[in-house]
Amino acid sequence: MKFLIKNILRIIPVLFIISLIVFLLVRVTGDPVSLMLPETATDAERAQLRESLGLNDPLYIQYFTYLGDLITGDFGESFRYNQPALGLVLERLPASFGLAFASMLVATLISIPLGILSAIKRNSFIDLFITGGAVLGKAMPNFWLGIMLILLFSVQLNIFPVSGTGSLMHFVLPAITLGTAIAAEMTRLIRSSMLEILGQEYIRTARSKGLLEAVVVNKHGFRNALIPVVTIMALQTATLIGGTLITETVFSWPGMGQLLIQAVNLRDMAVVQAATFIIALLVIISNLLADLAYRYLDPRIKYD
Amino acid sequence: MRMFSRIEVKKELTLEETKTDKKAYSLKWLKVLLNSKTGTLGLIIVVFMVLMAILANVIAPHDPAQTDVVNRLVPPVWAEGGNPDYILGTDNLGRDILSRIIVGSRVSLLVGISAVFLAGAIGLVLGLISGYYGGFFDRVIMRTVDAFLAIPNILFMLIVLAVIGPSLMTLIFVLGATTWVMYARMVRGETLSIKERDYVRSARAVGAKDIRIISRYILPNIISSFIVIATLNVATTIILESSLSFLGLGIQPPDVSWGLMLSDGREYLATSWWVATFPGVAITITVLGIIFLGDWLRDVLDPKTKTN
Amino acid sequence: MSTSLLQIDDLKVQFKTGEGVVPSVNGVTFSVNEGETVAVVGESGCGKSITSLSILGLVPSPGEISGGTIKFGGKDLLKIKKRELRKLRGNDISMIFQEPMTSLNPVFSIGNQIGEVLRLHQKLDKKQALNKAVEMLDLVGIPDAEKVVSRFPHQLSGGMRQRVMIAMALACNPKLLIADEPTTALDVTIQAQILELIKKLKTDFNTGVIMITHDLGVVAEVADRVVVMYAGEVVEEAPVNELFANPKHPYTKGLLSSIPNVDQVVEELGTIEGSVPNPLNLPKGCKFNPRCPLATERCRKESPVLEEVGPAHQKRCFNV
Amino acid sequence: MTQVKEKKKTLLKVTGLKKHFPVTKGFIKKETIPLKAVDGIDLEIFEGETLGIVGESGCGKSTTGQMMLGLLPPTEGTVTFEGKDLTSLSKEELRRLRKDLQVIFQDPFSSLNPRMTIEQLIGEPLKIHGVMQGKQLRNEVIRLLKTVGLGEHHLKRHPHEFSGGQRQRIGIARALALKPKIIICDEPVSALDVSIQAQILNLLRKLQKEFKLTYVFIAHGLPAVRHISDRVAVMYLGKVVEVADRDSLFEKPIHPYTEALLSAIPIPDPTKRKEHKLLEGDLPNPSNPPSGCRFHTRCPYAQEVCKMKDPELTEYHEGHKAACHFPLQQ
Amino acid sequence: SSNSSTSGDEGSVEKKTEDDKELVIATGADMVTFDIHDHNTTSTEAIHVNMFNYLVKRGEDGFDPDLAESWENVDDNTWKFKLREGVKFHNGEELTADDVKFTLERVANDNKLLEHGNYSQIKEVKVINDLEFEIITHQPEPALLNRLSRLGSGILPSKYIEEEGWDKFLENPVGTGPYKFVEWKKDDRVVIEANSDYFGEAPKWNKVTFRAIPEDSTRVSELLTGGVDIATNLPPSDWERVKDNEATEVAQGPTQRVMMLVLRQTEGHATSDPKVREAIDLAIDKQAILDSLMEGSGTVTRTRVTPGNTGANEDLYGKTLYDPEKAKQLLKEAGYGDGLELKLSAPNGRYLKDKESAELIQAMLGEVGIDLKLEFLEWSSFADKYASKSFDDMFLIGYGNSMFDAALALDRLSSKQAEGETDYNNPEVDKLLEEAMSNMNAEERAKQYQKAQEIIAEERPQIYLYQLDAVYGVNKGLNFEPRLDEMLYVDDITVK
Ligand SMILES: Nc1ncnc2c1ncn2[C@@H]1O[C@H](COP(=O)(O)OP(=O)(O)OP(=O)(O)O)[C@@H](O)[C@H]1O
Ligand SMILES: Nc1ncnc2c1ncn2[C@@H]1O[C@H](COP(=O)(O)OP(=O)(O)OP(=O)(O)O)[C@@H](O)[C@H]1O
Ligand SMILES: [Mg+2]
Ligand SMILES: [Mg+2]
């Protein structure tokens, strides 16, 4: 409990810096007025809008106003949807979250067995094959893989729906698309983590007890290998969410990714800010969860 | 509690008798390299790609921007309807895909390498300061790193590029400015651990100044892990650039990059496969080469494995 | 003389590495009897651990056993099936390793790790295994055994962990216990506790013990018989008193003169010049010749063989 | 022996030396409880002598050594070297003083920068202090190498090309380069093979004679300490529990801990197998040391008072001090 | 073309049949809002038209009644309308003149609304009785009916909005149209269902879903697999594939969008020389661009006012100039014999094949010795520059015209509007446009516009390239006719 509180407290300066980054990204770099008004708007109208948005204040004042709003959860209104930006983002959260979760699941299901296998069959043909596959998985851009999967599994084979949401089947292709790169990363990681663990003395101890090799690997080895993997998995959350930007577009998945891309394109900065902030928060929370999992997995930390 | 009171003296070859003049040493390296099949392959690929980029203008059979409206979407030479003029076929504007790949290697590698350089430089300096001096700097830098890590790279880039407009320079800058955190984290971690090693203590004991300790003791000992990570990141950056192209924010024509070709060609995946496939293959091979090379470098440069 | 429990004959182990073949064990021969403690001494890298790991078929990966036999209970451990060997491990033959800090799995409780052997070999259920684990911990002198079973390795001190390792090794009443430098990582006060414990258990259970060490003090303390190794070979073997009183091999002599003694102060320690040869580039002839004060032309050309020099005393040297 | 000591002048003196490490408990956020690694030590080191410091792992030997060198700022107390208080010197002054204070580390593998050649490693101290350069420097390096039994042909090699004993020699050469007055040897032989240990111990003795060096010799191997030291200090949990000259300490220990320590050492003579006076239990956790006399939890002679009162270090004989309520011999 | 490497059995989709009462249409972008006055996107309106009705509809020639039964010009500034009786909103309320007043005055008065500029001509709506009202304009407004039959002209339920508030309306919009709102899942789908109380012909579909699928290839794949019945904006690369597929076909038709280069005539720019402008025009083979990038669909043109628009000059339509030799000649005459460097800014991804067109144009201009530097901008940056009129020599843009009137199309070329952008200044054109603006004589007005177009085509402040076609992928079981206004009236789509 104490641990949680302390970590949450540590998040505050991070959020503060994030707010600064987001603010600078959004305010310093662009003037949303020209996109918010019709082409026919007069200069006077522009000036008025600028005034009413507070864009004429000095930057630091703008920042503090913005920070003040932030604390009250007010990210401003989306001018595209004329709705509070935060609400829009939160509305999309479940879709993105579901996709991210499914992808993580896919990644885990793929990477754990393959990672372990290639570690125990180190330097064999299988290892080379899996390592090669992992590199390939990493080298394929998301959008390309997504389109290929659609062409193969939906258009040619007619197994999965092409796009959109609705059923569990709809999850399959986007989750594979998004999960592949992460699976690739994780496979490599599990492999090296496993290799390191398998060289540890307690593995030799386990063998000297007469345990089956499978037990040695899966019980004594994997539990330990999992510890660094969990951390990396958490670090992948950012990548994962970043990946949704593209995957959601390819599969017209109604999540935050699409919202964000359009918001950026239209300079709907309230939404951009809200979404960036929420995403950052999500990443931070998932890191926190990973820390918790870490503590659970590694008794050395639990009792320190 | 510090647990290891006595140092593990591990299976250390006593190399007293080994003759190790410089030449033999480099030969050994080569031997080690050739011993690793993937490492050799990686090196060959990377050298090939770099040469291709350097000599692009000389070896490209066509002007990569030259459109040929009559010969649009010509399939590669070996496929039915192929044209020997265009070995890998042409794209929707009738441009020679092979030439575009050759010339595109320039931008792709340039972006990958420069961005990594930039990010690496920022990360190295901040990581060293953070790890070596600790204290307030460290806290500020590390919280900033956390903040950056919480915002997905691609999102960061999306926003900046959309707002200030994509160009080669901004692209490199933005890629560099968002990925420095990885290096900073890694450098900081290594610095922290090396700082506690006895050889750093011994440097202090003989009266070395901070600058000397950082430059002669810490830097040389993290540089190899650094190089490994940087190498691998060149690959990641190349892929990232293609994703940005997908979002319309990557390299802008008339510049060509593999990412751009791949992204443009996606429209033809179902009908004219070669348009997107070849740049994709170029990316894959390069990434493969870089990763193999990086993995191998990891093995060779790591002093732990070196002695064994 | 009691019956021979383990008989190692002409064991050869080599490592095929990128830089060449490392012959780390090069024709090692010795035996262990029931209830007897055989100490194997030698400098770092001379092949002690590899020899002991060979017995259980645990030689790490680029290494392979390239010759010899290891007879245990009439069977050659190098020929039997993997499954049979696994049955012996932890049951008839068990091992303790040097590093108590890293030999226990950090993520499982002590009880779990000790119980694991019992469940496996004695087919106990979880509950029984746990009870037996507590019993074993008691036996090795761990206070509060009931509590300790549920702890994790990092919560114990080095000495406690080594006791846990011993408890684990002895859980199935093995006939042979291999202890690979079990006290090297421990402080003297703790080392003394552990050595006492091993001595006591040996007499209580009549277990044969192979004690690997490079501390001649430890050897003098616990061994019945001593095998001295150098560069992958046995250079001398003798009962403990005989060896200390009457070392025959120059290497053994050098070793004995080079240890400082708390009991008596000498102005200068005896030394063995030079250092252990690179296993990739072993000297011709007697492996010890470059460091040997008595080396002759013959030593540089021919390899001596292990020969009897007294009752149960063998040495590998041309000099008399 | 005692008369000799009278004449000797104190080179280095520590008084009331303490080091408390802030140990962060909890995973990320700190909740600091001090780990009392060194908790009030007074020691004197006389010119030309070797002071051995022994004690179990974690009792604060290295920490003391580091503070003596000025590498670690003490939490409390002073370190006086030739009349100058190291703790009050500026960073730059301290750096210059380093010439006189050198160190040899335990682990020959991690105490040499793997990326430097032997020439650089040994020449570096001279270069840093601007003592010499160029040809002269190189010659000096070669001379140093020869002093420690290595040769010119080793100049261009890197540490990993040497065996442990050789590396330790390189470390010694590096420490010798600046002609220091005192060398703190932090377990210089613990990591080495027996046959090599003897070489290094002999070398250290030879150098001491040759260069009139003063050593602080930290070790937990009592035989080596006895072999090399003139005086010995025994530490337990951050405190010195007994200090005396060598023979008096080994032959007539006063503190029960010293006695136990001596008894625990295996004697390399199978005919002298003896019953050990075994100590119970382990070294307690230094961040939560026992009250009163820290040794009382393991002491066979402990009584009530030991739990309550921390005994003072008292001189029982000439130069033989111990901190115990129930000293073994008076 | 050569690129038909796919087989015909891609996607085993069935043809649409009679008893299938549901229709799914895939669009490239999601609807923007249900605030009909606060968007200016055709694709949003294309959905709205099924839920809302205008007062009048554009018909074959002239205008047809919709909510308004009849209308007349009372005077230059006053139009009188009579509403159809018994029209009900989806929530059951009756349509009255008050609703019209509420709707039109809102957009006419609120300058924050995106459509304000197109309705600000209306001064007020005077309610006569429940069914009758008058629209009074500030100035004579010859194009009023054009304005009332386009984007943002749907009539809103005043009572509902006043009582429940805009937020409620936006969440649960109510109109008079043949289809009622069911749900809108942003960036996913808009679902509407048949309004059984519709005053007109009964709706043909029970349920219609508009799915937003931004990625072209995904949209095509959905069509091929039967996931959707109609896919808009079919990328040319996939036409063959869609045609080859047994159950799908391609439907195409012209749109209001004309692609053009806008040239700066400001002093100091080479493009201020009419010879250079002509040379550019002559150097570009527009038909070749259509052929190579759009599979030949689209129509070359020398005017922006295409057939179907009031004031169209059909003589300039379907015509194009291409004469690279002459272009070289002209350049030489203009003093650029040894080459000329110009800069073209173009949006990337905004219009069909915009980037590729610019690249082809670059190549074609290169042939005649113009070194064209391309600057591609992602749309929002492009829009920024557009608003600040800060393009260099020229930019590529595709204007639409939802008004179906020349006024809107040519307005930008009046010297006042052109200032800072093209700096085109021709008093004659200015005069023609000015007069036509408020000329209530339809025929004469058309003449004025046609004349202006002729001058513009000669002087080339804008070089027209071609009119774009809209291309749809359609399930073969459906009758679907693309409309010039790109609206998707679902009741016009029927099962064969
Ligand atoms: N994984 C390995 N790869 C290559 N050579 C190895 C490996 N493991 C051991 N060796 C070689 O085997 C030899 C014997 O090693 P072993 O571990 O038996 O030594 P040891 O006598 O136990 O030494 P120590 O006292 O340091 O434990 C060493 O010289 C080493 O070179
Ligand atoms: N930098 C540090 N931070 C926190 N605790 C430390 C630090 N350095 C040492 N300690 C702790 O201080 C205590 C004394 O450490 P020190 O290294 O001086 O022991 P030592 O007697 O030299 O032990 P060893 O024989 O293992 O070298 C130990 O408990 C150790 O864990
Ligand atoms: Mg060993
Ligand atoms: Mg120490």
Side-chain angles (χ1 to χ4, degrees), chain B residues 1-2 5, chain D residues 21 35 37 56-63 187 220 286:
Chain B
M1 261 271 272
R2 205 172 51 136
S5 58
Chain D
F21 289 109
L35 184 149
E56 280 173 282
S57 177
C59 70
K61 304 182 297 289
S62 300
T63 309
E187 312 203 18
H220 43 236

Side-chain angles (χ1 to χ4, degrees), chain C residues 165-217:
Chain C
M165 279 301 287
I166 294 172
M168 198 155 83
L170 295 179
C172 298
N173 237 328
K175 299 198 181 86
L176 180 65
L177 175 68
I178 304 169
D180 188 355
E181 314 207 21
T183 59
T184 309
L186 302 174
D187 275 309
V188 263
T189 58
I190 315 295
Q191 165 169 306
Q193 295 168 0
I194 298 290
L195 290 180
E196 274 317 298
L197 177 66
I198 293 179
K199 277 195 275 185
K200 177 174 159 278
L201 294 173
K202 184 192 74 174
T203 39
D204 289 0
F205 293 95
N206 199 28
T207 315
V209 177
I210 299 178
M211 169 73 86
I212 292 170
T213 178
H214 49 237
D215 186 339
L216 286 170

